[in-house]
Amino acid sequence: MNEDYSLSEYLWNLFFVGGGQPIIFSTVEFWILLVVIISGLVLTGKHNTVRVAYLFAFSLFFYYKANGFLVFMMLATSFVDWKLSVTMARITSVTGRKCILAFSLLMNLGLLVYFKYSVFLMSSVNDLLKTNFPLPEIIYPVGISFYTFQSVAYMVDVYKRRTAPAARLLDYMFFLTFFPILLAGPIMRAEKFLPQIAAKPKIRPGMIWGGFWLLLLGVVKKAVIADYIMQFNGWVFGSPSDYTGLETVFAVIGYSAQIYCDFSGYSDMAIGVGAIMGYDLGVNFNRPYRSVNVTEFWRRWHISLSSWLRDYLYIPLGGNRKGRLRMYFNLFVTMLVAGIWHGASWLFVIWGALHGIGLVVHKMCRPFLEKINDSVVVRIAGGILTFSFVTMLWPLFACHDMSCAYGVYRNIFMSFDISLLLPFVEARFMWVVLVLVVFVSQMLPDSLVDGARRWFVSAPLVFKFIIFVVVVQAVVQFSAGNVAPFIYLQF
Amino acid sequence: MSEKHRRKISETYISLIVLLLAGFLLFAGYSFTGDDGGVGLVKTRIAGYLRGTSAGPVSSVTVIEDTEPEKSRENVQDTVPKRILLLGDSMVEGLSKPFGRYAAVNGHELTSVIWYSSSSKTWALTDTLEYFVRKYNPDFVMVSLGGNELFVRDLENRKRYVSDIVERLSGIPFIWIGPPNWKDDTGINSILCSIVGHDRFFESRNLEFERGADGRHPTARSSSVWADTISSWLMNTSCHRIRMERPEGTVAPKVKVIVLSNARI
């Protein structure tokens, strides 16, 4: 359902209208800008400062498109943080450094709480105390959860002297606002990313083509698979009572595939664009649905967030160093925070709490599980159990309120009819195929996946072009009329 | 970085730019050779995965021979149960179940064909319509198209496409459900009304809808109310009045659903 503008209206909207219009990587607008950005990189050549400034300018433009004039708030807070970090690194007084860190955390987390949780907190107070306080009307800055965690990690690392502060304000602002990771991560660590920014980039042609391969892979995951699958899932989660138990089960499984493709697809695109620019942004998803237990799932799913939570919450709480009961408590609290981080809703809190319970149960059972022979059958059983657990909790993500979540679970357990399976598959054959493709691809051997990437990187340009055309055509064939926003942009 | 290495990187970037520009020119070129001209950046005439269909210019489409006598457009309700074919774009996804309940209560046999992202152009330039009419032999057709054409500028072409679809449905009583506008359209509703006829065209644009997360598709609940409104009009006002008594209580929908993969033409 494209809105056709005249060319002048289109260009005006693209370059000058900001706020509420994030540039999605799978859109034509982004690809036009990518050509412009890469052309500039060729011209900046060996001048690293010019290169960084050039990419920073584009990052500010991307931020402006998503959040309008809140770009100035982001610039102001990042300037304050950088100044504080430089001061904190210089002074030796422990109290002084603690005060600076506390101030920075209060500022960053305070803004996050204000923008993201004010309405939720106020409406919860109203519900609890039967009051009628007016709910504030707040414009939510896209990406605030991600770059807030990134700046918190930076300040803590500087405080603990794990990393030196960014030498230049430009470097820090680039670190925080680099456009591929700005809106939905991965959450980068200063010790890994700042040195790449400060030094001349160590780019190789293989890195550029490897990045382009990841970018195309991400486009397929998001714009071909996720956007197609969601067309059915969205109807079921919109009104579960209108659908059968079997349709609901399929929608839940489909959502499992959708959220993976949506989020890992975005990550692939972000990491791929970063690689094209010459920056290594790590790995954010490592085929999580092949996990055989919940602990492994969280080492494969949204790795930048789970490692952040481990390093800046779980370990400071004591980790596993203060006895078993304290470890279980720390795990539970960490996952509770993970849930809250995802969204201002009791559903996310419950989701996080249940994952916390899952992790605790796994830790409790570990002594017994380690005695079981690690055979293929055991791994398959573990995989099915883990997948079922994770998938059954996704409705808490997908549903807009408690009654929807209740409707979903009631459908699954109270009105499931297997006889509807064949008619469903017949009606939605392509949907079923795409969902299966997602899960089968999780089980492919690493050698095959790496081999495909290596082949693409070394293939002649004409083959790369053919694959590019095939991907774009697939997007055209399978995409919905309008581009669906990334699920994780709402976080 | 040595000069040689820097040159190699620049060459790689230039290759990437050439690849992207070549792709852009290829797809833009297809758009310029399309029926509607203009700048359509990612349109292509390559037909998608469809059962028994092929793309072709409008003028070469074969009109279906009448196999049943044309029903006269009288103000008489036809109480005979019908074989109804409901076809169209993604809006049909929301209408299928409520109309399925109407089918269950009124004894009709309903088949829904949902072609995401389709438009009058898609249905006119392929033989998908003929395929499903041949397969299910309906004696009543409900078309739901227009939602993907709210902002089109090639209105003359759209008139041709809509006329073509109407012509291909000659001999079969049909209605056309207009799109549930979320913004003012550029003229598709007027075109539909003028070509289809006000007694066969249900105008939805001024109705109030509760929208889903995309801000466009009515929610399932809202689609149900939409179906109620359409059914009431169909039974009492349209020129092809069929039995559409409102279902009471919980009624399981009786509908066969077919979803076609998206295709852009």
Side-chain angles (χ1 to χ4, degrees), chain A residues 302-442:
Chain A
H302 200 174
I303 296 167
S304 66
L305 175 69
S306 57
S307 59
W308 190 101
L309 290 167
R310 179 197 63 212
D311 294 340
Y312 299 100
L313 186 60
Y314 176 68
I315 290 175
L317 282 174
N320 60 2
R321 301 186 310 274
K322 303 201 174 184
R324 295 186 76 80
L325 281 178
R326 182 60 186 266
M327 176 180 68
Y328 300 152
F329 174 78
N330 293 340
L331 266 175
F332 181 78
V333 166
T334 301
M335 291 314 297
L336 206 61
V337 170
I340 294 167
W341 177 89
H342 279 89
S345 156
W346 289 111
L347 286 170
F348 290 116
V349 175
I350 295 169
W351 175 84
L354 288 172
H355 266 278
I357 291 170
L359 283 170
V360 167
V361 167
H362 178 241
K363 287 278 191 262
M364 282 172 147
C365 296
R366 226 186 196 165
F368 310 103
L369 293 172
E370 278 165 0
K371 290 179 183 156
I372 301 173
N373 200 15
D374 191 25
S375 64
V376 170
V377 172
V378 166
R379 290 187 68 78
I380 290 173
I384 291 171
L385 257 170
T386 306
F387 177 77
S388 303
F389 174 75
V390 168
T391 297
M392 282 302 287
L393 295 186
W394 280 133
L396 297 169
F397 243 63
C399 286
H400 46 272
D401 58 29
M402 289 285 192
S403 66
C404 165
Y406 172 72
V408 166
Y409 291 121
R410 190 184 58 193
N411 270 7
I412 291 172
F413 293 108
M414 307 289 276
S415 56
F416 184 81
D417 182 357
I418 194 71
S419 68
L420 300 172
L421 175 64
L422 278 176
F424 179 88
V425 172
E426 195 191 9
R428 297 179 192 278
F429 182 71
M430 185 53 66
W431 185 94
V432 171
V433 165
L434 286 178
V435 169
L436 281 174
V437 161
V438 172
F439 296 128
V440 166
S441 69
Q442 301 273 303

Side-chain angles (χ1 to χ4, degrees), chain A residues 47-332:
Chain A
H47 307 285
N48 191 48
T49 303
V50 173
R51 178 193 177 86
V52 170
Y54 171 73
L55 290 173
F56 173 61
F58 264 103
S59 298
L60 286 185
F61 171 70
F62 271 71
Y63 192 90
Y64 169 70
K65 288 294 292 180
N67 295 316
F69 290 101
L70 284 172
V71 66
F72 293 109
M73 181 195 76
M74 193 268 301
L75 285 172
T77 54
S78 53
F79 172 75
V80 168
D81 265 342
W82 177 72
K83 271 293 198 194
L84 289 175
S85 70
V86 168
T87 308
M88 192 163 53
R90 206 181 298 136
I91 67 175
T92 52
S93 155
V94 172
T95 311
R97 290 169 63 238
K98 269 188 182 162
C99 286
I100 291 173
L101 177 65
F103 177 80
S104 170
L105 293 182
L106 204 66
M107 177 183 72
N108 286 302
L109 295 174
L111 283 170
L112 178 65
V113 168
Y114 170 73
F115 280 106
K116 194 166 176 176
Y117 301 104
S118 300
V119 175
F120 168 63
L121 289 170
M122 194 60 81
S123 69
S124 297
V125 164
N126 281 342
D127 289 340
L128 204 65
L129 303 176
K130 305 283 183 249
T131 50
N132 199 22
F133 293 114
L135 300 180
E137 284 181 27
I138 297 172
I139 300 170
Y140 174 73
V142 178
I144 190 170
S145 301
F146 292 90
Y147 69 73
T148 297
F149 268 31
Q150 194 154 306
S151 65
V152 163
Y154 166 78
M155 293 302 287
V156 170
D157 285 347
V158 171
Y159 168 79
K160 287 186 178 290
R161 301 206 191 277
R162 284 203 282 248
T163 187
R168 302 180 298 182
L169 175 61
L170 176 64
D171 288 355
Y172 179 69
M173 287 198 166
F174 183 97
F175 161 76
L176 210 57
T177 63
F178 186 40
F179 71 89
I181 63 172
L182 177 62
L183 300 182
I187 302 168
M188 292 301 294
R189 302 293 184 91
E191 62 190 346
K192 186 178 158 76
F193 196 25
L194 276 176
Q196 294 187 62
I197 299 167
K200 288 199 174 110
K202 297 182 177 64
I203 320 175
R204 303 169 312 280
M207 191 174 177
I208 295 170
W209 290 119
F212 188 60
W213 165 257
L214 260 184
L215 184 52
L216 292 181
L217 198 63
V219 167
V220 169
K221 281 181 179 176
K222 161 62 180 163
V224 176
I225 300 177
D227 281 3
Y228 185 85
I229 292 172
M230 70 159 273
Q231 288 175 108
F232 171 66
N233 301 344
W235 284 103
V236 176
F237 288 111
S239 181
S241 56
D242 284 323
Y243 293 86
T244 64
L246 184 121
E247 286 172 320
T248 307
V249 165
F250 270 103
V252 169
I253 295 171
Y255 188 81
S256 222
Q258 176 195 334
I259 193 168
Y260 167 72
C261 286
D262 192 284
F263 195 20
S264 72
Y266 181 93
S267 284
D268 285 344
M269 286 189 248
I271 294 166
V273 171
I276 291 172
M277 310 283 133
Y279 301 102
D280 175 11
L281 302 180
V283 173
N284 209 19
F285 286 83
N286 184 13
R287 292 190 281 170
Y289 290 136
R290 66 194 311 189
S291 304
V292 296
N293 55 64
V294 183
T295 304
E296 187 183 354
F297 176 79
W298 279 103
R299 287 199 195 116
R300 291 174 175 270
W301 178 276
H302 200 174
I303 296 167
S304 66
L305 175 69
S306 57
S307 59
W308 190 101
L309 290 167
R310 179 197 63 212
D311 294 340
Y312 299 100
L313 186 60
Y314 176 68
I315 290 175
L317 282 174
N320 60 2
R321 301 186 310 274
K322 303 201 174 184
R324 295 186 76 80
L325 281 178
R326 182 60 186 266
M327 176 180 68
Y328 300 152
F329 174 78
N330 293 340
L331 266 175
F332 181 78

Side-chain angles (χ1 to χ4, degrees), chain A residues 1 203 276 428 477-479, chain B residues 5 13 48 93 148 257 262:
Chain A
M1 297 182 190
I203 320 175
I276 291 172
R428 297 179 192 278
Q477 295 298 137
F478 284 91
S479 68
Chain B
H5 184 74
Y13 276 140
E93 183 81 72
N148 291 307
V257 174
N262 301 355

Side-chain angles (χ1 to χ4, degrees), chain A residues 1 3-4 28 42 46 201 203 209 231 235 239 242-243 247 276 427-428 473 476-481, chain B residues 1 5-6 9 12-13 23 42 44 46 48 93 97 116-117 148 151 153 182-183 216 220 257 259 262 264:
Chain A
M1 297 182 190
E3 299 183 27
D4 286 337
V28 169
V42 174
K46 56 184 173 182
I203 320 175
W209 290 119
Q231 288 175 108
W235 284 103
S239 181
D242 284 323
Y243 293 86
E247 286 172 320
I276 291 172
R428 297 179 192 278
Q473 179 60 28
V476 169
Q477 295 298 137
F478 284 91
S479 68
Chain B
M1 198 190 292
H5 184 74
R6 198 175 296 116
I9 298 301
T12 307
Y13 276 140
V42 202
T44 165
I46 302 170
E93 183 81 72
K97 292 228 182 231
Y116 292 131
S117 306
N148 291 307
F151 314 111
R153 292 175 190 272
W182 55 93
K183 273 188 184 174
R216 293 164 188 208
V257 174
V259 179
N262 301 355
R264 294 299 184 88

Side-chain angles (χ1 to χ4, degrees), chain B residues 21-89:
Chain B
L21 287 176
F24 175 82
L25 287 172
L26 176 68
F27 286 103
Y30 266 124
S31 305
F32 276 106
T33 58
D35 286 311
D36 50 344
V39 179
L41 287 182
V42 202
K43 293 178 192 167
T44 165
R45 295 169 73 202
I46 302 170
Y49 164 75
L50 298 165
R51 290 177 227 183
T53 63
S54 60
V58 174
S59 57
S60 70
V61 169
T62 306
V63 176
I64 298 170
E65 296 286 329
D66 282 357
T67 55
E68 294 184 43
E70 187 176 311
K71 299 276 185 212
S72 64
R73 291 159 72 154
E74 296 173 3
N75 297 337
V76 174
Q77 191 186 101
D78 184 351
T79 56
V80 175
K82 299 290 172 199
R83 286 185 309 281
I84 302 175
L85 180 63
L86 166 63
L87 50 88
D89 56 27

